[in-house]
Amino acid sequence: MDRLFSFLFVVLLLLLEWRTFRRVPGTIRWAAVLVLACSLALWYAIPPENTGIQPVRQLIRLLEPLVPPQI
Amino acid sequence: MEMSDSFWRVMLMGTLFSLNTSMYAINQAIGKARTDLWLSVLAGAIPAAVGVWLLFGTARRYPDRSLMEELAHRHPFAGRLITALYLLFFFLMMVRDFRMTNDLINMVLLPYTPAEVILIISVATAILIARNPSEVVIRINQLGQPVFLAASAFVILMLANRFDLSNFFPMFESGVVPPLEGGWYFFAYFGEIVALPFVFAGRELTALRGWVSLLVTVILLELIGFTMIAVLGIHIPTMLQYPVFNLVEFIKITDFLDRFELILVSIYLPGQIVKSAILLFILCRGLALLLTGSREKPSSGGAHPPDPAAYVFAVPLGALGYAGASLFFHDTIELFPLNRVWPVLSAPFVLLLPLAMYVFLRPGRSSRRS
């Protein structure tokens, strides 16, 4: 249900931006479409209960050795 | 008159970036510093003040543009690379702030509302703010932030009747070093003030204004920390996720204002959303600059229409922030280990890159080269 809600939200916002999308140069327009496609792909391709994608956990593991040991 | 207005805008924006989220670090800092939290706050502020001096000093060299515009224009490769790194950092900050705001609302105010619905409303608000001209985005902060600062200062008075000063003893139980180490948790949050040169034109930024913002932040955080230890002691806050919220729950002003903490939270939350919106605004303009490299109109000091090339990114980047805030974190508790490593991520952007820019980025050299 929340996924449908978020999809409708994006459609609503895109309607809001429709005229802007037509006015901007092609590079900008396609970059915006690409970012939007990435975000939608991220949101719809991964089930919310899936814990496989955890960039923050990876980031913490990556940076943990650099934290001073006494902290 | 214009100068004082400019000073006020920079000061309020500085406190928005350095104070609002630093309250999330109090519990971990108390765990380290125990009764000597005051020293941790000071220890965290000193490196942030150095970063402010370096970055604001660099931005001051370019009075008519923001630092991001100058970097992208004057140094096509290195400047854009530095801008891209800062944008990545700001994106992570925005995602983290969306998540923090969402968790606070979900746990404290609306426990039965689905988290995604709360998040989507926060993100939509941030998108609608970020689509506006820079003047509007800067001024929107002037609505709620003064009230939030005043409320933070008065918390100590409203809870004075519950003080137990014996909570402050023994002082320096483990020496001076642990309180200084507690500053680790505050440094990164104070250092978020480095976002200001990416919003304001250089003529509005002086190191003094940045330091005044930090000073206000430090004073208010000292007051809140003092009140917290005096009321809750040192053991309870370390076990709470939102100790500041639990602290203000103790405020009782007559029977009519029994839930006074809700008023305080309603003052605090818009600031968090405005902060995320300002970060989204920086991301939109930065991405447009990286792609086009064009010089925009001056970023402040005049009401001009926003560049469509910039605000067309508001929805896509907002949607990406929404997906990130939902999916990047395993759970709410993950914000605590993130707090621990966040200074490692933050230090290059608060100290190292500003130092490099302060040394190498000079208008004279670039002009001669061009």
Side-chain angles (χ1 to χ4, degrees), chain B residues 70-369:
Chain B
E70 285 299 334
L71 280 170
H73 176 72
R74 287 178 185 272
H75 307 278
F77 178 72
R80 287 188 189 190
L81 182 67
I82 292 172
T83 305
L85 289 173
Y86 268 103
L87 291 182
L88 190 63
F89 178 57
F90 292 148
F91 176 73
L92 288 173
M93 260 169 68
M94 183 185 74
V95 166
R96 187 206 59 195
D97 285 353
F98 274 139
R99 179 72 186 207
M100 280 178 170
T101 311
N102 187 50
D103 286 345
L104 178 66
I105 297 174
N106 194 235
M107 286 187 179
V108 167
L109 298 177
L110 304 168
Y112 299 111
T113 309
E116 284 81 5
V117 174
I118 298 168
L119 185 61
I120 217 162
I121 293 169
S122 310
V123 173
T125 312
I127 287 173
L128 292 174
I129 294 172
R131 292 174 80 254
N132 285 290
S134 55
E135 190 70 13
V136 177
V137 176
I138 291 169
R139 288 212 180 268
I140 202 165
N141 181 44
Q142 291 177 265
L143 292 172
Q145 192 65 7
V147 184
F148 173 65
L149 296 181
S152 305
F154 278 104
V155 163
I156 188 170
L157 295 177
M158 290 187 273
L159 286 168
N161 58 337
R162 291 177 176 271
F163 280 5
D164 179 2
L165 296 180
S166 65
N167 288 340
F168 287 96
F169 298 100
M171 294 178 83
F172 295 112
E173 189 181 8
S174 310
V176 182
V177 177
L180 292 177
E181 289 169 357
W184 174 264
Y185 294 103
F186 289 120
F187 152 68
Y189 285 113
F190 290 159
E192 287 175 12
I193 198 173
V194 296
L196 264 65
F198 293 83
V199 183
F200 287 99
R203 68 173 175 280
E204 296 202 63
L205 295 172
T206 58
L208 184 65
R209 291 177 181 184
W211 287 338
V212 169
S213 303
L214 273 180
L215 184 68
V216 172
T217 298
V218 166
I219 290 172
L220 290 175
L221 213 56
E222 295 281 14
L223 289 177
I224 291 169
F226 176 87
T227 312
M228 184 170 293
I229 294 174
V231 174
L232 296 178
I234 55 170
H235 299 294
I236 296 172
T238 57
M239 294 183 277
L240 298 171
Q241 185 159 11
Y242 304 111
V244 178
F245 176 77
N246 295 100
L247 176 73
V248 297
E249 269 186 321
F250 280 90
I251 299 175
K252 297 278 184 287
I253 304 176
T254 74
D255 291 340
F256 174 67
L257 286 175
D258 192 36
R259 297 300 305 275
F260 190 70
E261 81 275 8
L262 295 181
I263 299 175
L264 294 178
V265 171
S266 69
I267 295 169
Y268 170 74
L269 282 175
Q272 278 292 88
I273 294 173
V274 167
K275 187 189 169 195
S276 306
I278 292 168
L279 289 170
L280 182 60
F281 172 81
I282 296 173
L283 287 170
C284 293
R285 285 200 327 158
L287 199 53
L289 268 175
L290 288 182
L291 289 170
T292 62
S294 63
R295 297 194 80 173
E296 291 182 353
K297 292 174 183 173
S299 52
S300 57
H304 53 80
D307 181 9
Y311 75 81
V312 77
F313 285 110
V315 172
L317 285 173
L320 196 62
Y322 172 80
S326 295
L327 297 173
F328 285 4
F329 293 86
H330 182 247
D331 50 35
T332 306
I333 306 298
E334 208 165 38
L335 285 169
F336 290 105
L338 184 66
N339 267 355
R340 194 165 169 271
V341 300
W342 190 259
V344 178
L345 185 71
S346 179
F349 299 100
V350 178
L351 288 173
L352 298 182
L353 281 174
L355 178 65
M357 283 193 276
Y358 189 82
V359 173
F360 295 112
L361 200 64
R362 292 184 186 276
R365 287 183 190 174
S366 306
S367 304
R368 279 199 296 272
R369 195 181 301 155

Side-chain angles (χ1 to χ4, degrees), chain A residues 2-3 5-6 9 13-14 16-17 20-21 23-24 27-28 31-32 35-36 38-39 42-43 46 48 51 53-57 59-60 63-64 66-68 70-71, chain B residues 32 116-117 120 124 127-128 131 181 184-185 287-288 291-292 308-309 311-317 319-320 322-323 326-330 334 337-338 340-341 344-345:
Chain A
D2 56 327
R3 303 214 149 201
F5 189 77
S6 60
F9 159 75
L13 286 176
L14 281 179
L16 193 77
E17 293 284 10
T20 318
F21 265 88
R23 273 163 52 200
V24 295
T27 323
I28 298 285
V35 175
L36 191 63
C38 284
S39 56
L42 192 66
W43 180 240
I46 302 162
T51 53
I53 170 175
Q54 291 168 355
V56 172
R57 183 161 289 188
L59 187 71
I60 291 168
L63 298 178
E64 187 68 45
L66 300 173
V67 178
Q70 63 273 27
I71 296 294
Chain B
K32 198 77 196 168
E116 284 81 5
V117 174
I120 217 162
I127 287 173
L128 292 174
R131 292 174 80 254
E181 289 169 357
W184 174 264
Y185 294 103
L287 199 53
L291 289 170
T292 62
Y311 75 81
V312 77
F313 285 110
V315 172
L317 285 173
L320 196 62
Y322 172 80
S326 295
L327 297 173
F328 285 4
F329 293 86
H330 182 247
E334 208 165 38
L338 184 66
R340 194 165 169 271
V341 300
V344 178
L345 185 71

